[in-house]
Each structure stands twice: as C-alpha cells, then as structure tokens.
Amino acid sequence: MNLYDSRFRQLLVIKRKAPAFYCLVLVSASFIAAFFTTLSLLHIAVLLLFLLLLLFFLYLFLHLRFFIIIDIVLIGALILSGMLAFNTRYLYPVLDKKIETQKQHHGMILKSPINNKNNISFIVRLIDRKRRMYTPYAVKVFTDELLDDLRCGDIISFSGKIKRPSNARNPGGFMYCDFLWRQGVQYVSYVHAGDIDRVGMVRSNYITRNLIFPFKKHCIKISDRYLGAVHSSLLQGLTVGERGKIPAEIKHIFSDAGIIHVLAVSGLHVGILSFFLFILLRSVHVPFRMALFLTCIALIFYVLLIDLRAPVVRATLIFICIMLGMLSQRRIILLNIIAVSALVILAFRPLDLFDMGFQLSYAATFSIVLFQKKMSDALTGRMQPIRNLRRYIIIPFTVSLSAQLGAAPIVAYYFFRCSVIAPLSNLVIIPLVSLAIPSGFLMVAVHTLHPVVSRICAGTTWF
C-alpha cells in the first residue's frame, strides 16, 4: 500500500509540474488507439455519455471525490477527442481515381528541388484548372534533370502518369507509402526533363524565392568552390541539409560509428547555431533581450532555409519556448517545454507520432532530461574537486549515453542494430561538428569581404 501511495504521489507531482507532459502521454495514447481502431462522431458521443453516467454512478454510490471525477472526465474526453482528430486527419483526403488516369497535370512546387545522387525530386501541390483552385493532393515528382531553374512557389505543368506509392514487398520492410503520407504526399510520378514546363509563379512567396533560395544556392556554390567534392558534400549536409551528394561509403562509416545523426540537420545543429550566435551577439555588447530576439529570428530563417524539416522545427520550437521562459523570468521546466513543442506539432500533423525521426528526436531528448543529471551525479559523486573532468568529460559523456539509451530501442526496432561505440564516438565528433558548422557559415559570410579571408575560413573548415 505504501508503494502504491508513493507511485501515485509521483504521478501527481509530474502532473502538477509538467502538465504538458501528462497531456502528451494521453494524446499519444489516443493516437495509438486510433491507429488500430476507427471511431466516428457517433461512437465518440456514445462513449462520452457512457463515461459520464459511470462517473455519476461512482459519485452517488461510492462517494468518489469531485476533483477525481473531473480528472477522469478530462482524461476520457482528451483521449476520445484525440482519437477522433487522428482518424479525421488519417482518412483525409480520400484518393481520387480520376487523377491517376490523367496525363497532363498542373501544380505548385511546395519545396525547392532536392538534388539526389541519381535523380532530382520535388513535391508539387496539384491544381484543378477547371475550378481554378488547389486540390488536397500532392505529388512527389522524380526526374533525371531540370532544364529550368525551378524554385519553391513556381507553377509548373508536367506530363506523366501519377500513381500511388508501393507498399513494402517484404514483411516488416520500409513502408514508403506511409512515409510519404505523413508528409502530406499521396502520389508519385517519374517524369522526363523535357516534360516539365514553368507556366507561372506565386507572388506571395517573395521571401522564399528572393532570399531563402538564393542564399542556399550561394552556400552550396561557395562550399563547392573552396572545398573538395567529399568535404563540400559533408559541409552541405551539416549546414543546409543537402545530403544527396554525400558518398554512400561515407554514410556507412558514420552509421557504423553511431553518428549518422550529425549528417541530418536536426536539433543538434539548431543548438550549435543558437549557442554560437548568442555568444557572438553578446560578445559585441548586444543587450540580452535583443540577443535572444535576434537568435530566434535567425533560427526561423534557418528553418525556412532547410525547407521546414521536422527535426529542426521541433528544436526551434523548444528553443523559442526556453527563450520565452527566460524572458518571463520564470522557472523553466524542460520536461514541460519539450512536451509543449510535441503537442504543437501533433496538433497540426498527428501522423508524425508514427514517424521514426519524431520518435528518435523526442526519445533522445526526454531521456537526456530524465536521466542525464542522475548519471552525472552518480559518476561524479566522489569527484567533486575535479571540476574540469566533470565539465568536459563526464557531463558530455552522460548526455551522449542518456540520448543513446533513449534512442536505442527505436533504432533496434527499425534497423535491427544498436551501436555500442556511439557514446564514445559522439564524445569526439560532437565538439568537432560544433566547430565545423559555424566555421562553414563564417566562410560563406566573409566571402563578400574578400576571397582570401574566405579561403582561410575554408582551410579551417576543411581541417
């Protein structure tokens, strides 16, 4: 009974200090339940009515406390409404078979074309020319080359057959169709270069077309100019998220060492950029509040630079929430802030809960928050006088180890492997990446001053 009371008290403490984490668990449970069941609005109403009658019975005959009844009602309503919202999002839109029979299509490019090793791909929102409106369908177009310099916001016309993505041929294999569905893409199409024509552009996309996209091309151009092919591809993967040119053998080396995550722009890169930018602004005597504001603006620009990729959006939301907490001069509870960012993302994209990147990101982040301090205290309990050892060795090691412990079950489930050397390799690689990313952006920034200065920064980045 004492053990039960202590566990119950721990749950109450978590609920009081981190209510967002408590809601995140309930919302995730409702989405998982909805994934295996299909509930209509009538089912939801019947279940809520049954729940209210049951609680009314418990209140009258068992004298259950009123605040407990309110909690149960809120929990039930949250779970059932989450199931309904997930089913609505998951079942919409209903696929139209007429689109699959058409050969000529019009649409707007949602994201800038990605240059992969063997092809070029981009996502197009289809347009109904008869009704002059956007459809709820998106197509991922693959082509061998682009004759025009297409950008995000261009209206194009392409000839080709679109079809639904194929399912996994082997049991337990990668479900490419589900991966695209979570990104809001229902169809794929393979088109020749001569069958794509630009017929217009969206005027409202001025910032992306005239600022974000040119800056991204400038970064790629400068890295190709001053660095070799392999080093340039690595820098582009670290800074602007262009991983298509990285050789496969390099990816395998990073994967075997358990550090493949550094090649994908994620929360690590957001943390590095925000740290160095904030330190740079403070070093030139920018006021504290203004430095926080400018750092947040720069991160929003960076999110647009890499085409709103989910890991960076998550990390930016977390950072902005932390900054708002610092500005309000209130106590920051990281568990609550991380959960708020997850709830915001799931509110707009419920299917992200079943995305591997979402799971790995939040599993590692929650694991760091929950276990890192306990590990660090356990290892440094008898090493208090050795502060440098604790600061530069123990704390980075426990951060890496706790992140790996949180992500290991998910990695084992998806890839059937788990890197044992990852905590040690991260201890060496993360500091080097933390220097390479700012150095790469500095190389691009100083190129406008003088090529010689840019070449010096390029030598530092290459090293």
Side-chain angles (χ1 to χ4, degrees), residues 76-238:
L78 183 60
I79 292 178
L80 293 176
S81 59
M83 295 175 69
L84 179 62
F86 179 85
N87 279 325
T88 303
R89 180 77 177 188
Y90 186 76
L91 297 176
Y92 182 82
V94 179
L95 298 181
D96 189 358
K97 294 183 179 180
K98 295 181 180 179
I99 296 180
E100 301 179 25
T101 60
Q102 298 175 1
K103 294 184 178 180
Q104 190 72 21
H105 307 277
H106 290 77
M108 183 191 72
I109 298 179
L110 296 179
K111 294 183 179 180
S112 301
I114 299 175
N115 190 1
N116 301 311
K117 188 175 183 180
N118 299 322
N119 53 47
I120 299 174
S121 63
F122 52 91
I123 298 176
V124 177
R125 173 71 65 189
L126 293 180
I127 297 176
D128 190 342
R129 294 194 67 188
K130 294 182 179 179
R131 300 180 180 178
R132 295 184 179 181
M133 60 182 297
Y134 292 104
T135 69
Y137 308 110
V139 182
K140 189 166 187 177
V141 180
F142 296 88
T143 182
D144 48 0
E145 62 175 329
L146 289 177
L147 301 180
D148 295 330
D149 187 15
L150 297 180
R151 303 181 181 182
C152 176
D154 284 339
I155 305 296
I156 64 170
S157 171
F158 63 96
S159 302
K161 184 179 180 180
I162 66 173
K163 60 181 181 179
R164 302 178 189 179
S166 58
N167 294 322
R169 298 181 179 179
N170 299 322
F174 176 66
M175 297 291 291
Y176 187 61
C177 58
D178 290 344
F179 171 75
L180 291 179
W181 192 276
R182 287 192 294 267
Q183 293 183 331
V185 178
Q186 295 80 30
Y187 298 100
V188 295
S189 180
Y190 299 88
V191 183
H192 296 291
D195 296 331
I196 303 176
D197 297 317
R198 180 168 54 187
V199 297
M201 58 175 288
V202 179
R203 296 182 179 179
S204 60
N205 213 346
Y206 179 83
I207 295 179
T208 303
R209 291 182 57 86
N210 297 283
L211 185 62
I212 303 296
F213 190 75
F215 180 76
K216 188 173 185 177
K217 289 189 65 177
H218 181 67
C219 292
I220 295 174
K221 179 181 178 181
I222 296 302
S223 63
D224 288 337
R225 178 177 179 179
Y226 292 110
L227 300 175
V230 176
H231 300 86
S232 177
S233 62
L234 281 173
L235 182 62
Q236 292 172 24
L238 290 172

Side-chain angles (χ1 to χ4, degrees), residues 27-38:
V27 170
S28 301
S30 66
F31 288 174
I32 294 173
F35 186 78
F36 298 100
T37 59
T38 303

